[in-house]
């Protein structure tokens, strides 16, 4: 570590940043082997920022502090249970955000709408509006999404999930931009049956015309006990029966559920202009091994009742017991610059934590770690790397950058940023462009919200939740 730090200092002093403004991040040249010498080169180039970030822990990496921090009103509010970009809801040209705190008021939960620019403080004071879950223990704010226009009025809309309405039936609240100052969430759209956990995960998706919503219900029994379902629901729907499609899991090993819909993400994987589905099923069994987990990619448009294993273009399986692959997924960004969105998969339970990315056009069935993946990040031992992942263009070069949480990193919990284009092997020692450092909570980075540009500088910004720490941090691209 010491030698690494010295080399970095020397290269930074020479001015590592290209005058073109392009950074020599991992991938512009073949990725270096994971040794100290090669590491120092990529690190120095991307670290040679002109900003005032400091190396707070003297490990040779640039640590970026949050531009704003939001704290909960009470311990146990689980502020940051979900974080998402809301798009430009108020029409001032800056993208806004929505944040959940599902533990508020004995787990009735809450969602906060925050108009940019966001300042530090108590979330209740900083938020433009607060929506409280209307029934006890419904856990409003366990999922939130937004950023697209769902009702065709030209403004971005939002959706708030409350997966434990009715003890687990679940429900979602469609929050139009016109309702952004409303004091109430209104009436929820409820799940179809008890223990469906409808709304446990959410993503707005431009699947055709006005944006729709992918709604995860991983306890759904539509195709067998707890097979799980992802609903494709128009934003203007008032009932789950109005779904234009339902992508159902199956039953594996004749006994166990599939759990499709644990989380959902949207991106245009094939470039036809429609947002496609990436969903995780961490409860899935494989060959009798429990909870290996899986990730499914499926291409829009979707119609009717579908079995996800039949329509998936790519299925990625975990490799071992309780890998729970699919707990952390991200898409909606182009990592390699081919114009198509790619997929980043966190695997915090494999080898102390890893993360892998693959082109959204990949097809067939593969196991996490296969050579067919386009790149991966190795954690240090037990960093739980990949417990949260995200894609956002933080340096404004048009390529998505990889955000990978390392909540149990031995030095400090952080989210590591790797600038695109990225390919091959990356590691936490040498290839990190910068580390986002917020509250030192044990779950910092489990929720990563790609916000788009919230301050008008053309660079993507992110919100990072640490719900056990009751804290949300905002980091601006630079
Ligand atoms: Ca598509
Ligand atoms: Ca791509
Ligand atoms: Ca970038
Ligand atoms: Ca920005």
């Amino acid at each position: 570590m010491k030698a690494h730090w010295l080399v970095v200092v020397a290269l930074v002093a020479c001015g590592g940043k290209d005058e073109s403004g392009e950074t020599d991040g991992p991938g512009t040249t073949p990725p270096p082997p994971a040794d100290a010498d090669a590491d120092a080169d990529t690190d120095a180039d991307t670290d040679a920022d002109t900003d005032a970030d400091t190396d707070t822990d003297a490990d040779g990496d640039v640590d970026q502090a949050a531009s704003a921090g939001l704290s909960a009103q009470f311990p146990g509010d689980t502020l940051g249970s979900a974080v998402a970009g809301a798009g430009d809801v108020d029409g001032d040209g800056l993208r806004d955000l929505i944040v959940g705190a599902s533990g508020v008021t004995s787990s009735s939960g809450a969602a906060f709408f925050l108009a940019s620019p966001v300042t530090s403080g108590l979330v209740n004071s900083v938020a433009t509006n607060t929506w409280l879950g209307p029934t006890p223990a419904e856990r409003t704010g366990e999922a939130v999404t937004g950023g697209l226009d769902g009702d065709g009025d030209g403004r971005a809309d939002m959706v708030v999930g409350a997966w434990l309405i009715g003890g687990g039936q679940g429900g979602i609240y469609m929050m139009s931009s016109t309702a952004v100052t409303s004091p109430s969430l209104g009436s929820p759209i409820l799940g179809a049956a008890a223990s469906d956990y409808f709304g446990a995960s959410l993503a707005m998706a431009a699947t055709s015309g006005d944006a729709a919503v992918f709604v995860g219900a991983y306890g759904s029994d539509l195709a067998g006990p707890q097979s799980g379902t992802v609903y494709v629901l128009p934003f203007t729907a008032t009932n789950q029966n109005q779904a234009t499609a339902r992508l159902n899991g199956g039953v594996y090993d004749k006994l166990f559920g599939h759990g499709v819909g644990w989380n959902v993400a949207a991106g245009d994987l094939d470039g036809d202009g429609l947002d496609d589905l990436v969903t995780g099923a961490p409860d899935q069994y494989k060959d009798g091994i429990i909870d290996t987990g899986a990730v499914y990619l499926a291409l829009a448009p979707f119609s009717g009742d579908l079995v996800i294993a039949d329509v998936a273009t790519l299925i990625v399986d975990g490799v071992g017991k309780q890998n729970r692959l699919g707990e952390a997924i991200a898409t909606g960004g182009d990592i390699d610059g081919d114009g198509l969105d790619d997929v980043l998969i966190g695997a915090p339970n494999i080898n102390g934590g890893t993360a892998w990315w693959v082109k959204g056009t990949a097809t067939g069935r593969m196991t996490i770690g296969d050579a067919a993946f386009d790149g991966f990040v190795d954690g240090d031992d037990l960093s739980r790397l990949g417990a949260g992942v995200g894609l956002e263009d933080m340096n404004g070069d048009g390529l998505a950058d990889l955000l990978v949480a390392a909540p149990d990193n031995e030095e400090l919990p952080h989210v590591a940023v790797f600038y695109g284009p990225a390919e091959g092997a990356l590691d936490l020692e040498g290839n990190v462009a910068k580390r986002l450092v917020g509250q030192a909570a044990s779950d910092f980075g489990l929720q990563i919200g790609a916000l788009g540009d919230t301050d008008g500088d053309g660079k993507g910004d992110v919100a990072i939740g640490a719900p056990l720490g009751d804290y949300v941090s905002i980091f601006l691209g630079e």
Side-chain angles (χ1 to χ4, degrees):
M1 183 59 72
K2 176 93 172 184
H4 168 61
W5 181 80
L6 289 172
V7 173
V8 169
V9 168
L11 290 174
V12 168
C14 296
K17 187 179 175 80
D18 295 347
E19 291 304 313
S20 65
E22 180 181 88
T23 54
D24 291 337
T28 49
T29 55
D35 64 79
D37 292 339
D39 288 349
D41 184 31
T42 50
D43 203 32
D45 282 351
T46 52
D47 276 356
D49 297 343
T50 54
D51 56 53
D53 289 339
T54 53
D55 180 12
T56 53
D57 58 357
D59 65 351
D61 298 304
V62 170
D63 301 328
Q64 179 176 345
S67 69
L70 301 166
S71 51
Q73 190 167 17
F74 300 109
D77 279 356
T78 62
L79 179 65
S81 52
V83 290
D88 181 13
V89 173
D90 55 11
D92 67 350
L94 303 179
R95 290 173 184 262
D96 309 305
L97 58 150
I98 183 167
V99 172
S102 65
V104 164
T105 317
S106 301
S107 298
S108 296
F112 302 93
F113 171 70
L114 297 127
S116 293
V118 176
T119 55
S120 293
L122 195 66
V123 68
N124 308 58
S125 305
V126 173
T128 304
N129 202 0
T130 300
W131 293 306
L132 296 173
T135 65
E138 70 170 54
R139 293 203 81 93
T140 276
E142 193 75 26
V144 295
T145 188
L148 296 175
D149 180 15
D151 55 11
D153 69 352
R155 293 279 178 87
D157 306 306
M158 292 165 279
V159 188
V160 176
W163 71 303
L164 292 185
I165 286 179
Q169 182 177 3
I172 63 172
Y173 301 93
M174 302 292 203
M175 303 306 295
S176 168
S177 58
T178 57
V180 73
T181 56
S182 167
S184 159
L185 284 166
S187 298
I189 295 174
L190 297 175
S195 301
D196 273 6
Y197 309 129
F198 182 80
S201 58
L202 293 168
M204 285 194 89
T207 54
S208 66
D210 295 336
V213 189
F214 293 147
V215 184
Y218 72 88
S220 160
D221 303 326
L222 284 175
Q226 297 186 37
S227 50
T229 298
V230 176
Y231 289 76
V232 183
L233 203 62
F235 181 81
T236 50
T238 55
N239 189 294
Q240 51 85 17
N241 286 324
Q242 295 165 356
T244 54
R246 299 187 299 193
L247 294 104
N248 299 313
V251 175
Y252 272 62
D253 297 343
K254 294 188 172 62
L255 284 174
F256 302 108
H258 209 169
V260 165
W262 179 281
N263 56 18
V264 289
D268 187 4
L269 304 176
D270 61 351
D272 67 351
L274 304 180
D275 277 343
D276 309 305
L277 171 69
V278 179
T279 185
D283 292 340
Q284 185 169 311
Y285 285 50
K286 185 167 189 289
D287 302 330
I289 305 171
I290 65 169
D291 293 350
T292 44
V295 174
Y296 293 85
L297 278 58
L299 300 180
F302 307 110
S303 181
D305 268 300
L306 305 168
V307 176
I308 195 155
D310 293 344
V311 299
T313 48
L314 177 68
I315 303 174
V316 179
D317 293 299
V319 293
K321 183 179 174 182
Q322 290 180 334
N323 282 172
R324 296 190 60 75
L325 197 72
E327 284 190 330
I329 54 175
T331 186
D334 177 16
I335 295 170
D336 58 358
D338 66 355
L340 307 177
D341 286 344
D342 303 305
V343 179
L344 178 60
I345 300 172
N349 305 316
I350 297 176
N351 296 337
T354 61
W356 297 74
W357 78 267
V358 65
K359 292 179 194 294
T361 50
T363 58
R365 188 157 194 164
M366 60 177 73
T367 300
I368 196 79
D370 280 358
F373 279 86
D374 294 283
F376 69 97
V377 183
D378 245 347
D380 42 14
D381 287 346
L382 306 178
S383 60
R384 210 155 38 102
L385 187 85
V389 294
L391 292 173
E392 179 60 81
D393 180 14
M394 292 196 76
N395 63 352
D397 66 353
L399 300 180
D401 307 315
L402 287 68
L403 286 85
V404 184
D408 288 356
N409 180 259
E410 61 183 357
E411 293 166 15
L412 78 172
H414 68 274
V415 171
V417 180
F418 302 86
Y419 291 145
E423 64 181 45
L426 305 172
D427 67 67
L428 281 178
E429 290 300 315
N431 303 117
V432 175
K434 60 184 177 180
R435 301 173 195 265
L436 307 181
V437 180
Q439 200 204 32
S442 62
D443 63 343
F444 179 76
L446 259 67
Q447 296 294 327
I448 299 177
L451 306 179
D453 184 14
T454 64
D455 62 350
D457 69 350
K459 295 172 180 172
D461 311 314
V462 298
I464 294 178
L468 294 179
D470 291 311
Y471 208 82
V472 169
S473 304
I474 311 293
F475 295 88
L476 301 178
E478 53 186 30

